[in-house]
Each structure stands twice: as C-alpha cells, then as structure tokens.
Amino acid sequence: MATNQKNTAAVSVVAIKNGQTIVNKTYGYADFEQQRTADTSTVFEWGSTSKLLVWTSVMQLVEQGKLDLDTNIQEYLPEGFLKKLEYDDPITLMNLMNHQAGWEDRLIDLWYSSDDDIVDLSEALQRFEPNQLYKPGSVVAYSNYGTALAAYIVEVQSGQPFYEYINEHIFKPLNMKETSIHPSQNDNLNVLKRRNEIQGYTTNLKLIAKNRAYISLYPAAGVIGTAEDAAKFLAALMPTDQDRGNLLFKNKDTLNEMLSTSLYYDGTSTPRIAHGFFEVEYWVPALEHGGSTAAFSSKFVFDPKSKFGLVVMTNQYNELAYCVGLVQKLFGNSFSTSSVTSESGGYYLPARQVVSGFSKGYSMLSMQKFNTFDLSNFANVVETDGIIEKASIPYNDFLPVSNLTINLIKASIIALAVAILLNLRAIIGYLFRLFKYKSKKWERPGTGFDKYHIAINFAGLVVILNTILLFMRALGFPTYASLRIHFIFNLLYVILVAAYLVLLIYKLRKISYSKKRKAVYIMSGVSAFLFAAFIVGWDLYF
C-alpha cells in the first residue's frame, strides 16, 4: 500500500484473519517538522473507538452477575447522582449501549489542555451532566456522557478505578503493553513518551499546534496506543476454534451476546447496533466503530463470521482517505435500506446536538438541508403520512427542523446584522463629531444624555469583540470556569441595556429633543435591544 505524502501524515494499518496478523504496516511521518517517521511502535489516539472497551467491560460484569442490561442504572449509582433527568422512564445499560438515554451533547469541559485540570471520573460526570432532551429509547443520539457513565458503573461495581479495571481485565490478558487508557497516561510512561513524539495535523497537513488534549470523560475517547495492540483486542472479539478459550470472557455465549443485535432501525429488521458496536452492511455485514480527536482519526472494522478485521489509525483530524476509503476498498461500500415517498426535503439537525449554553451555536453549524435524493441515501427514514419524522445513519438520528425554528434563526442573524450596522454608525458618528469638536466647529460630544448614548454603543462594540473572543477561546480546550468572565460581561451588558432603555424612555418623554437627535437615541436603543436579545436567545451568558 502506497501513501500520498501530499495528503497524508502517518497511517498505521493492521489486518487480521483467523486470529493471525496478515498486515502490520505504518507509513508517513509522526512529525513532519522534525522529519520523524512513523513505525509500528508509533502510538495514536483511539478517540471514540475507546468506547468498545467500555461495552466489553460492561459485558464482563454482566457475565459475573454484577450488572443487568435491563435494570434502571439509578440502582447502580450513588443516590442523587443524576440531577437533570426530565423523564420518569428508567435509563438502562442497554439504553447507554444503544446511545438512547436521550442526552444533549456537551462540548466545553469535555477536553482539557492540561492534565492539571483532570478530576476523577465521578466528579467529571457530575460537572458535565447534560440536559435530557428525549425520552429514553426513542432517539439515537450518540453520547460520550452515556458511555462514560457506563464506565463509572463498572468502576462502582468492580471497586476499581476504570483505567485500573481495563488494565487488569483487558490489556493484561491481551498483552496490550503499548496502550493506556489512563487520562494522562501516567500508568504507562512508555506510551506517554511516545505520545509526545507524534504531532497531529489537519486533513490538509497543517500542523495543529494544540494537538495534545486530555478528556475529562476519558473512557469515551481517551485510549492511546499502537495499532498492533488495537488489533489484539479486535482478534479477541473473533476467537478461532483453535483458541484455548476466550481471553475476555469465561463463556463464549457472553461474547456472542455482545456482538448480537441490540437495536434495529425503526420499523425494520435491519440491524443497527450490537451492544455499542455499530452494524454496517458493506459487501458483508460488519461491526465497526470510528474515532476522532482534535488531531487523530481511527476506524475498527471486523466481520466475526469470516474472522477478518481491520485497524486504521492516523494522526490527522477527520481523515477519510484511509479511515473510510481503505475500509471501502476492503469491505465495499455500505448499502442504504431506506425508501422515501415524500417529495419534500428540508433542514435537519443531528439528534446529537447542544441545545443550551453558548455552544449551541456550534450545533447550528451542523444543520443540513436534505432533498429527497439525499434522504434516500440514509440507512433508514421514518415517514408518517408523507411527513418525515426521522432519518438515520448507524451512529445518529437526524430530526427535521421546523420552519418556525428556521425563521427564528434567520431573523436572529438579520437582527444581529442590523444591530452591528446601527452600532457602527453611532460610533463612527461620534468619532466624526469628536473630530469636528477638535477643529472647534461643533459642540463637544458626550455631554448630557449623549454620554449614555455613546457608552451603550461602545459597550455594544465590546460585546461583539467579547463574543468573538469567547468562541475563539472555546476552540482551545478551555474549562467552562475559564470562560466565565465572558458570560459575566454579556450578562452585565443585558442589565445595562435594560437600564438604558428605561432611561431613554424617560428622557424622551421629559425632554424635547430634535427629531434628528431623537432618531439617533432611538437607533442606539434598538441596537442595544437587539444585541441583548441575541445574547439571551443564543444563551451567550452561560
């Protein structure tokens, strides 16, 4: 296999067949700048493929009788652990495996830029708890939180920190010495050293300066290791007849249960999820999971029937040439099973979305417009009387966005543009008058009510800059606490606007201003009101 060095950093590929490694190759550069080549000992971040270890550990405790997949998880958690549940319906471990607990997504406080910010799993889960949007079992909304919560349940029931449990019950039996799931890899200094020797890149091979991040919910995406070690895990999921027992389970039936379908697409007999493993119909039915972090991508795919598996790892964000392209070369394209009778398209959002807090703006960027042809390429589409209720891919459901919501989003963007124009007009006008005052031709600006008018407009300009800075900082793995100053300023601005509008109304009723001066003051009030409404409407204050 050759690589295109114009588009590829490093890629590590391991293929196994009947328990034997048939390909173990690594190509490219772990560090372009230092011209450090990658080899089979190079470690990569697994990203979300780490979740497969969680589901395996859950099934190990199910085998031991310590967990039951259909029991309310509240019975396994400390009393009052979950505080934001909206539905009385119980959440089960099966719901967590199928990503059907109903939680919204969270972006901030998922990744940290320093290992000093890492807290134990219990505290991370309680800090990070998202709102529950959907009734359990109704929607597939891929969830890091749900996976980490399942890992915490393993931690509680086993009496071991989750990373210690994985070390003892998965890594050690499989001889995975080149892999760590510890949140900062302090339990495997060799892995830590080698992680510091590899850089991460964009799909266009631009160095990602901050490519070392620490995940608070580490069971969901925190593994770092070699592709060769990952293949040992994959091989253990496909034991051959010659194997002396299974290294992960005492009873082969437990493995068979884990790899059996636990969720079908709505209204069909088409498999979708096998206890956390996604089922995809390529040329052959296969189980898979993909992963990505700030600067790495990975894909595990295997066919238990033919006992063929593939591990792909790269040090590029959203890498597709190998994590998708190579998989399709070997397994074929995936097949759609959906049929769409409706002729209408529309806007859709993934069920995995943020709906509260300032970062819900990021979710709006994932809104997509699908026509009938687009929808027919989904794995499944649910229609009722010609109205599409849900479109599904293995990892996520997509839900239609109402016209009211679309119009409100458009209106808010237009209102923001108007506010910015009015604000800039007022500031430019003030600077022009100030220049004229310096030339001793006009009256001095900023006297009387003018000073409030000028102050609110300059405050609006600062709000714009503050919000831009907020979103820029949010890209650098900050803690939520470190962003609080931005929220406080926006909230103070809203309070200031309310006071300004009350004063403006009072002044306009009590004092006779010229029509031109009234118009200037009113435009400033409109601008300030629109800024405040945008802050409140888009939750830019928390």
Side-chain angles (χ1 to χ4, degrees), residues 522-540:
I522 290 172
M523 283 192 293
S524 293
V526 171
S527 173
F529 174 80
L530 292 176
F531 276 136
F534 193 83
I535 289 171
V536 173
W538 285 94
D539 297 344
L540 298 179

Side-chain angles (χ1 to χ4, degrees), residues 23 44 190 318 324 347 484 517:
V23 174
F44 297 81
N190 185 37
N318 197 31
V324 175
Y347 286 95
R484 189 167 292 130
R517 185 55 37 199

Side-chain angles (χ1 to χ4, degrees), residues 17-60:
K17 174 69 174 177
N18 292 324
Q20 300 297 314
T21 299
I22 58 175
V23 174
N24 183 11
K25 298 288 186 180
T26 302
Y27 305 87
Y29 287 91
D31 188 330
F32 266 117
E33 289 66 33
Q34 299 297 322
Q35 288 293 288
R36 183 182 295 120
T37 57
D39 56 35
T40 56
S41 68
T42 300
V43 300
F44 297 81
E45 294 181 359
W46 285 27
S48 287
T49 50
S50 307
K51 292 179 173 66
L52 300 182
L53 300 177
V54 176
W55 310 132
T56 302
S57 66
V58 167
M59 293 304 296
Q60 286 178 334

Side-chain angles (χ1 to χ4, degrees), residues 116-160:
D116 293 334
D117 295 317
I118 295 173
V119 296
D120 64 43
L121 186 56
S122 173
E123 183 177 347
L125 285 163
Q126 291 182 296
R127 284 187 187 180
F128 194 81
E129 184 183 356
N131 294 313
Q132 190 182 34
L133 303 181
Y134 315 106
K135 182 179 178 180
S138 64
V139 170
V140 173
Y142 188 87
S143 177
N144 288 309
Y145 186 82
T147 306
L149 188 62
Y152 177 63
I153 291 172
V154 169
E155 189 170 284
V156 171
Q157 293 302 109
S158 68
Q160 293 178 278

Side-chain angles (χ1 to χ4, degrees), residues 250-275:
K250 294 180 179 179
N251 189 331
K252 190 176 181 180
D253 290 342
T254 307
L255 174 62
N256 292 336
E257 179 184 359
M258 182 173 75
L259 301 184
S260 67
T261 301
S262 58
L263 182 70
Y264 296 87
Y265 287 101
D266 291 5
T268 75
S269 58
T270 305
R272 183 175 187 177
I273 299 176
H275 299 83

Side-chain angles (χ1 to χ4, degrees), residues 400-459:
V401 181
S402 69
N403 289 331
L404 175 60
T405 300
I406 295 294
N407 291 332
L408 285 174
I409 292 172
K410 291 179 178 178
S412 70
I413 294 173
I414 293 172
L416 178 62
V418 170
I420 291 173
L421 290 174
L422 293 177
N423 183 265
L424 292 177
R425 181 205 174 280
I427 292 175
I428 292 171
Y430 167 76
L431 295 175
F432 178 74
R433 288 176 59 204
L434 186 63
F435 173 76
K436 287 295 184 179
Y437 167 73
K438 294 289 185 181
S439 302
K440 299 182 179 180
K441 294 181 179 180
W442 282 16
E443 66 178 292
R444 180 177 179 179
T447 59
F449 189 71
D450 261 3
K451 60 187 177 184
Y452 301 109
H453 154 70
I454 295 303
I456 200 68
N457 279 287
F458 271 103

